[in-house]
Amino acid sequence: MKITSDWPLPPLGIRFLTPQFVQTQLAGHPLTEGLFPIAMGYYPAAFGHRMHRQQQDSYLLIYCIDGKGTLMCDDKRYRINSGDIILLPPKHHHAYKADSKDPWTIYWLHFNGRLADHFYRHIQLSSPSFNIGVQPRVIRIFDGLSELRRSGYQFAEYIQGGHQLQALLSYIALLVRQQRPQSGTALNWERLRATMQEHIHGQLNLDELAASAKLSKYHFTKKFKAHTGQSPIQYFINMKIQRACYLLDSTSQSVKQVASAVGYDDPYYFSRLFKKTIGLAPSDYRHHRRS
């Protein structure tokens, strides 16, 4: 089964396949067997580019950063524009092509591994394509992965590449969550974080947060937890503890002063909360960080 198309590669294009002997090593090594690249490339202004597969044995990620294209998957047609990703699991009939008038510029990547399906499900796409926008950080990771073509098949380079791939997929999952339309009243995350930051030196209760979002406490908590995996108050406490860590790292303030700076009058309560969150008492954390 063909992994790549026969599209003629231009001088600035990239097409690179991981040799089978390296794939075998990657699939058997504890640092890479979870996720590893099989093939990758970059096609600029890919006039005439097209591909058709009955199915594939690997996961496929395509990222369009300019121009347009079309995807056919499971008898459905999707228009692909700049900022769109395509993510396809194995064993799906599909075809795609660049637009004839405004051909796409794409990064593409085939990957596999024990964790591949876990990452695929973590991204939570409701369709094979989704717009994340043109993200410089995503482009940088793709560019970093493309440097594997210069590695001389050094295994250490592929270990690092596998971790870049994990960073890429986990960041895409975050972008999808941030940009997915919210049903009903959407939460203004920037305003909520700003409100919490303004009260980092004091207190903030659930009633105030829900009122600022114009939602009941129940619906506000449900939406907030769906987005962050945490309750609003736990998220606020974690912000306080992160601020306390910064103060312990960067100042000579006492634990009592740090506790007061993040809104806790009782330093003993603060120390218990800090240890519960970080796993170390504030004084131990400071000693550990500076040792």
Side-chain angles (χ1 to χ4, degrees):
M1 183 185 304
K2 288 176 59 176
I3 293 180
T4 66
S5 68
D6 295 325
W7 185 68
L9 198 65
L12 296 179
I14 297 170
R15 183 160 52 216
F16 177 76
L17 277 69
T18 302
Q20 188 58 54
F21 81 92
V22 178
Q23 289 188 43
T24 301
Q25 283 182 288
L26 294 169
H29 195 282
L31 294 181
T32 54
E33 53 91 21
L35 203 64
F36 54 88
I38 292 175
M40 66 206 76
Y42 168 69
Y43 291 170
F47 181 79
H49 173 238
R50 61 180 61 237
M51 189 64 184
H52 177 270
R53 298 184 186 91
Q54 288 298 326
Q55 63 177 30
Q56 65 199 37
D57 296 327
S58 58
Y59 291 79
L60 171 62
L61 174 65
I62 297 175
Y63 183 37
C64 175
I65 61 169
D66 194 26
K68 300 174 183 176
T70 303
L71 167 70
M72 291 291 298
C73 182
D74 297 332
D75 299 321
K76 292 185 179 180
R77 184 176 184 273
Y78 303 88
R79 187 67 173 164
I80 307 301
N81 297 294
S82 178
D84 285 348
I85 59 166
I86 297 171
L87 181 59
L88 300 175
K91 306 186 187 310
H92 277 252
H93 172 242
H94 63 267
Y96 48 84
K97 63 180 181 178
D99 186 81
S100 59
K101 295 181 180 178
D102 186 15
W104 60 20
T105 292
I106 58 171
Y107 288 90
W108 57 268
L109 171 69
H110 290 263
F111 62 92
N112 244 329
R114 177 179 56 83
L115 298 177
D117 186 59
H118 293 282
F119 274 98
Y120 173 75
R121 287 186 281 113
H122 176 59
I123 293 173
Q124 294 182 351
L125 288 184
S126 57
S127 73
S129 68
F130 188 84
N131 188 276
I132 62 170
V134 178
Q135 302 285 341
R137 181 173 168 183
V138 173
I139 292 171
R140 284 197 300 271
I141 300 176
F142 269 113
D143 286 339
L145 280 166
S146 72
E147 289 302 306
L148 285 173
R149 72 191 190 278
R150 309 182 198 275
S151 68
Y153 306 134
Q154 293 183 69
F155 196 70
E157 298 265 8
Y158 275 89
I159 290 176
Q160 201 268 340
H163 289 284
Q164 282 184 301
L165 178 53
Q166 290 196 31
L168 173 65
L169 297 179
S170 58
Y171 185 52
I172 286 174
L174 181 61
L175 290 171
V176 168
R177 282 165 171 74
Q178 289 175 342
Q179 301 191 36
R180 180 180 287 129
Q182 300 284 325
S183 58
T185 303
L187 296 181
N188 187 327
W189 296 107
E190 291 303 316
R191 187 174 67 187
L192 280 170
R193 280 183 56 84
T195 299
M196 291 183 181
Q197 195 64 48
E198 288 171 6
H199 289 79
I200 203 80
H201 310 298
Q203 300 301 320
L204 194 60
N205 61 41
L206 184 58
D207 289 321
E208 292 169 317
L209 286 168
S212 72
K214 296 180 173 60
L215 289 170
S216 69
K217 288 192 293 185
Y218 170 78
H219 286 100
F220 172 72
T221 300
K222 185 178 180 181
K223 282 179 174 288
F224 195 100
K225 195 166 185 179
H227 183 78
T228 67
Q230 303 172 16
S231 70
I233 297 304
Q234 187 59 55
Y235 188 91
F236 182 47
I237 290 171
N238 289 343
M239 286 181 67
K240 285 174 170 285
I241 297 301
Q242 286 181 327
R243 176 64 181 173
C245 287
Y246 169 76
L247 294 174
L248 289 166
D249 285 337
S250 62
T251 75
S252 58
Q253 291 181 29
S254 67
V255 171
K256 183 177 181 179
Q257 289 172 318
V258 170
S260 179
V262 294
Y264 296 105
D265 295 329
D266 184 346
Y268 298 104
Y269 174 76
F270 165 73
S271 293
R272 291 196 300 272
L273 188 62
F274 189 98
K275 186 173 183 178
K276 181 180 178 181
T277 305
I278 301 297
L280 295 169
S283 56
D284 294 334
Y285 172 85
R286 172 173 275 167
H287 175 73
H288 174 75
R289 293 290 291 172
R290 293 182 177 179
S291 61

